[in-house]
Amino acid sequence: MKKYGDNLFQIGEAAKILGVTRKAILVYEEMGLLTPAVKDKDSGFRYYSADNLAQIRSIRSLQTLGLSLKEVAEYYYDTENIDAHLQRLLELRAGLDRNIQTLQTRAVRQGDLTVHSTALPRQVCFCRRYQCRDTAEAAVNLRSTYIAAARTGLMSKTLRFFTMRMTPDPNVLDLMCCIPVEEHFDGPERMEFAETSALCVYYRGPYEGIGDAVRALAVYVQEHGVQTTGPFRSIYLEGPPNRGENSGDYITQVSVPVKDLRGEQR
């Protein structure tokens, strides 16, 4: 058993899982973009949590868009110039529409439950189902699923992880935790999701309030006679890895698959 338990990753493991170099991880630390969960004072060895791995993925995603590490730091910590950062991404928009949409969601304000049309991608996921007492237990189970998916060595480096509400009652946390993995993953936890039209709400705030966004979306679906084709999903766009304990700035895309909406504007 590892000195600090099985839920932490050594730097070599983290680098291999995420497809980055050890040097890149150390540079992220030097830039103040990443802090290891544990740094052993005696050996100097670093150990990384699931949140650390998610943060590294987020940094790499922004670099892939064309942002420098200095710009990545500004993206995370400069809340006064969001428009300028958005413009920078718009200049790089060819082939990056999905990533640009993610940045645009940062402008959503608390209490804004506007319904949007969107599309959910085809993906293969590592999935585990849990009956959770509360949001804190749900977070523990999601992190546990993330770690198990990471251990396969096949976790997707681009697609977002999410949970599905397996019952229609927004007060019940019967959740399927879904971590996107590579197409050829064939374990018992494999679930395949087709590309689909969807309606969504970009919810800004702590996870305890996601039920409000689910209710708002459910009311919209009912009032407009929209045919749903699957459970409600909570897709985690901005959370603890890069927002720390500032839960008021967490952004979650609450979505529901629906019958084809092409040609409709909402």
Side-chain angles (χ1 to χ4, degrees):
M1 182 176 177
K2 295 179 183 176
K3 181 176 180 180
Y4 293 100
D6 291 331
N7 288 343
L8 295 177
F9 302 80
Q10 295 181 13
I11 189 169
E13 290 180 290
K16 183 176 181 180
I17 288 169
L18 298 173
V20 302
T21 64
R22 297 162 62 103
K23 181 178 179 181
I25 295 176
L26 295 176
V27 169
Y28 298 159
E29 292 182 34
E30 293 172 2
M31 293 284 293
L33 294 169
L34 180 70
T35 301
V38 175
K39 186 173 180 180
D40 190 289
K41 293 182 179 179
D42 296 325
S43 66
F45 289 165
R46 294 164 165 80
Y47 299 87
Y48 300 87
S49 66
D51 282 353
N52 288 149
L53 265 62
Q55 176 70 350
I56 294 169
R57 290 182 63 203
S58 180
I59 294 168
R60 293 293 292 177
S61 177
L62 291 171
Q63 286 186 286
T64 299
L65 297 183
L67 299 186
S68 67
L69 287 179
K70 179 177 180 296
E71 290 173 321
V72 171
E74 290 173 349
Y75 171 90
Y76 287 138
Y77 306 122
D78 181 2
T79 60
E80 299 297 323
N81 297 294
I82 289 178
D83 288 344
H85 304 320
L86 178 59
Q87 181 58 41
R88 168 68 171 132
L89 289 183
L90 289 173
E91 293 171 356
L92 302 170
R93 78 175 294 167
L96 302 175
D97 288 344
R98 183 179 65 83
N99 305 82
I100 291 171
Q101 182 185 37
T102 298
L103 179 61
Q104 288 172 327
T105 65
R106 296 186 66 208
V108 68
R109 298 182 181 278
Q110 288 189 7
D112 181 1
L113 298 178
T114 303
V115 176
H116 306 270
S117 295
T118 188
L120 301 176
R122 181 190 179 281
Q123 54 195 313
V124 172
C125 291
F126 180 107
C127 300
R128 288 180 176 175
R129 187 172 179 175
Y130 302 93
Q131 304 283 339
C132 305
R133 293 187 299 269
D134 51 32
T135 303
E137 184 178 13
V140 170
N141 289 330
L142 179 59
R143 183 173 286 107
S144 173
T145 307
Y146 183 96
I147 290 170
R151 296 289 185 201
T152 69
L154 297 174
M155 189 168 64
S156 169
K157 298 178 176 62
T158 56
L159 295 173
R160 304 281 188 175
F161 53 85
F162 60 94
T163 55
M164 293 194 301
R165 292 179 177 248
M166 305 307 290
T167 62
D169 186 344
N171 298 311
V172 175
L173 293 179
D174 179 0
L175 301 179
M176 184 74 76
C177 297
C178 304
I179 313 298
V181 291
E182 299 296 330
E183 177 74 25
H184 54 282
F185 173 72
D186 62 356
E189 299 90 351
R190 175 189 169 103
M191 290 186 68
E192 186 172 328
F193 298 88
E195 180 178 359
T196 180
S197 297
L199 293 175
C200 74
V201 168
Y202 293 104
Y203 164 75
R204 189 183 197 107
Y207 294 146
E208 289 80 1
I210 288 177
D212 294 336
V214 173
R215 292 183 190 93
L217 192 52
V219 167
Y220 182 97
V221 165
Q222 183 176 14
E223 290 181 346
H224 291 78
V226 177
Q227 181 180 342
T228 62
T229 59
F232 285 80
R233 303 183 193 182
S234 296
I235 304 169
Y236 302 100
L237 304 181
E238 299 257 351
N242 45 34
R243 293 291 160 224
E245 296 182 358
N246 188 15
S247 62
D249 280 341
Y250 293 176
I251 300 177
T252 307
Q253 183 190 44
V254 178
S255 62
V256 62
V258 297
K259 189 176 180 180
D260 195 352
L261 292 174
R262 285 178 296 181
E264 297 184 23
Q265 297 297 323
R266 289 189 167 87

